[in-house]
């Protein structure tokens, strides 16, 4: 038996075509308004909630990123590309020696130790939320600072009380602006979902309730180590590293708890 995924026509291409400047050279990208970005984030969260809790066994997508989110004619989002997806094993962690996914979106416990859980997708979702809210890529190699990873950059701003600086200027100065408090709440949920420690991330259902205003967003906890730290990529990495942003000393296996 073979399984097929059948999609409706997605005339607006991928989310990647519209949230990053100059990402689509064939036609001018749409500048997504706040209501449109809000809807896309909620759509993706609901899709992941269905994959994690709506079917048995649950499915872990493993490659949530902007290019794998397709937009229909009304700019509603569809999660695509299940080539790396895995079924869960009765709620247990899946350990693998073959780590698959995209740099910048990989949860640290999965990238470092091959531990795959539903919260690996939550981490990738958090990175995606920060991309949508900021218009900045998960990995920004052109950044003048050492904060190459969007998670390091956004976390630093949030912890210094400058959460508004994470938000795309098009959502602040343009026509498609939104309520400041609500947009900041979405940023905070993205930060929580992309926390380096598994236990401090919400489930996707909890994240969805926070996004919809049905659950209070907790304060952003400290993190033990920025993901851009050399220990994350190893000495042979071509990626730039971030300086330690402060925090407590930890055992790297803390990522697993």
């Amino acid at each position: 038996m073979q399984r097929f995924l059948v999609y409706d026509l997605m005339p607006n291409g991928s989310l990647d075509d519209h949230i990053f400047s100059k990402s689509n050279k064939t036609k001018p990208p749409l500048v997504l308004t706040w209501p449109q970005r809000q809807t896309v984030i909620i759509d993706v969260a609901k899709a992941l909630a269905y994959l994690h809790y709506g079917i048995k066994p649950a499915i872990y997508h493993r490659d949530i990123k902007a290019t794998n989110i397709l937009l229909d004619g009304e700019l509603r989002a569809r999660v695509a590309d299940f080539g790396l997806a895995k079924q869960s094993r009765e709620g247990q962690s899946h350990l693998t020696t073959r780590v698959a996914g995209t740099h910048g979106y990989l949860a640290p416990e999965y990238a470092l130790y091959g531990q795959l859980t539903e919260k690996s997708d939550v981490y990738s979702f958090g990175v995606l939320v920060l991309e949508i809210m900021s218009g900045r890529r998960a990995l920004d190699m052109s950044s003048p600072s050492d904060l190459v990873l969007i998670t390091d950059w956004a976390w630093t701003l949030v912890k210094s009380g400058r959460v508004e600086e994470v938000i795309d200027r098009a959502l602040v100065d343009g026509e498609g602006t939104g309520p400041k408090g609500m947009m900041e709440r979405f940023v905070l949920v993205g930060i929580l979902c992309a926390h380096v420690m598994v236990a401090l991330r919400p489930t996707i259902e909890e994240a969805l309730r926070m996004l919809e205003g049905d659950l209070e967003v907790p304060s952003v906890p400290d993190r033990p180590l920025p993901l851009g730290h050399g220990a994350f990529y190893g000495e042979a990495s071509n990626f730039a590293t971030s300086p330690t942003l402060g925090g407590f000393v930890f055992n790297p296996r803390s990522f697993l708890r």
Side-chain angles (χ1 to χ4, degrees):
M1 182 180 68
Q2 291 182 314
R3 294 180 177 180
F4 297 90
L5 284 173
V6 180
Y7 287 92
D8 295 327
L9 177 65
M10 297 288 133
N12 283 307
S14 76
L15 181 62
D16 185 272
D17 295 332
H18 306 295
I19 60 173
F20 306 119
S21 61
K22 301 179 181 179
S23 62
N24 188 333
K25 296 185 169 83
T26 60
K27 64 177 182 179
L30 299 171
V31 178
L32 299 184
T33 64
W34 159 245
Q36 290 166 338
R37 298 191 202 203
Q38 180 184 24
T39 298
V40 167
I41 291 171
I42 295 294
D43 284 346
V44 176
K46 288 181 176 179
L48 283 176
Y50 175 75
L51 292 176
H52 291 179
Y53 303 109
I55 53 178
K56 299 294 182 182
I59 292 177
Y60 306 145
H61 187 279
R62 292 206 298 170
D63 203 20
I64 295 296
K65 59 183 179 180
T67 53
N68 286 342
I69 307 302
L70 304 182
L71 302 177
D72 66 13
E74 298 179 349
L75 296 174
R76 299 301 300 266
R78 303 285 191 277
V79 175
D81 194 348
F82 284 75
L84 299 180
K86 277 189 175 292
Q87 290 184 327
S88 69
R89 296 180 177 180
E90 299 182 354
Q92 299 299 313
S93 298
H94 177 80
L95 295 177
T96 178
T97 56
R98 180 180 177 273
V99 174
T102 304
H103 283 300
Y105 295 91
L106 292 176
E109 74 281 355
Y110 179 50
L112 288 169
Y113 304 112
Q115 184 191 53
L116 177 67
T117 69
E118 65 184 70
K119 294 215 176 161
S120 304
D121 277 350
V122 172
Y123 181 90
S124 302
F125 172 74
V127 174
L128 181 70
V129 170
L130 293 176
E131 286 188 317
I132 294 172
M133 294 305 300
S134 68
R136 174 180 171 134
R137 291 189 180 277
L139 282 170
D140 184 1
M141 306 305 294
S142 64
S143 174
S145 72
D146 289 331
L147 301 178
V148 171
L149 288 170
I150 194 172
T151 47
D152 286 354
W153 170 77
W155 185 86
T156 304
L157 290 173
V158 168
K159 293 301 285 187
S160 61
R162 297 150 59 198
V163 61
E164 70 280 356
E165 294 183 30
V166 178
I167 300 171
D168 191 340
R169 297 306 304 175
L171 298 180
V172 177
D173 301 328
E175 296 181 359
T177 60
K180 178 183 176 183
M182 185 177 294
M183 292 192 295
E184 290 183 356
R185 172 153 51 90
F186 273 58
V187 170
L188 295 176
V189 173
I191 290 284
L192 289 169
C193 289
H195 199 282
V196 296
M197 295 178 69
V198 180
L200 297 181
R201 287 176 219 150
T203 65
I204 195 62
E205 285 188 334
E206 291 169 337
L208 179 58
R209 291 178 63 198
M210 292 178 199
L211 293 168
E212 293 182 327
D214 296 329
L215 187 65
E216 184 178 350
V217 180
S219 59
V220 176
D222 288 333
R223 47 189 295 197
L225 192 71
L227 293 189
H229 192 275
F232 181 69
Y233 289 115
E235 294 180 359
S237 170
N238 291 325
F239 293 103
T241 61
S242 301
T244 300
L245 300 179
F248 48 90
V249 178
F250 79 117
N251 181 329
R253 292 188 180 274
S254 296
F255 281 135
L256 303 180
R257 298 194 291 271

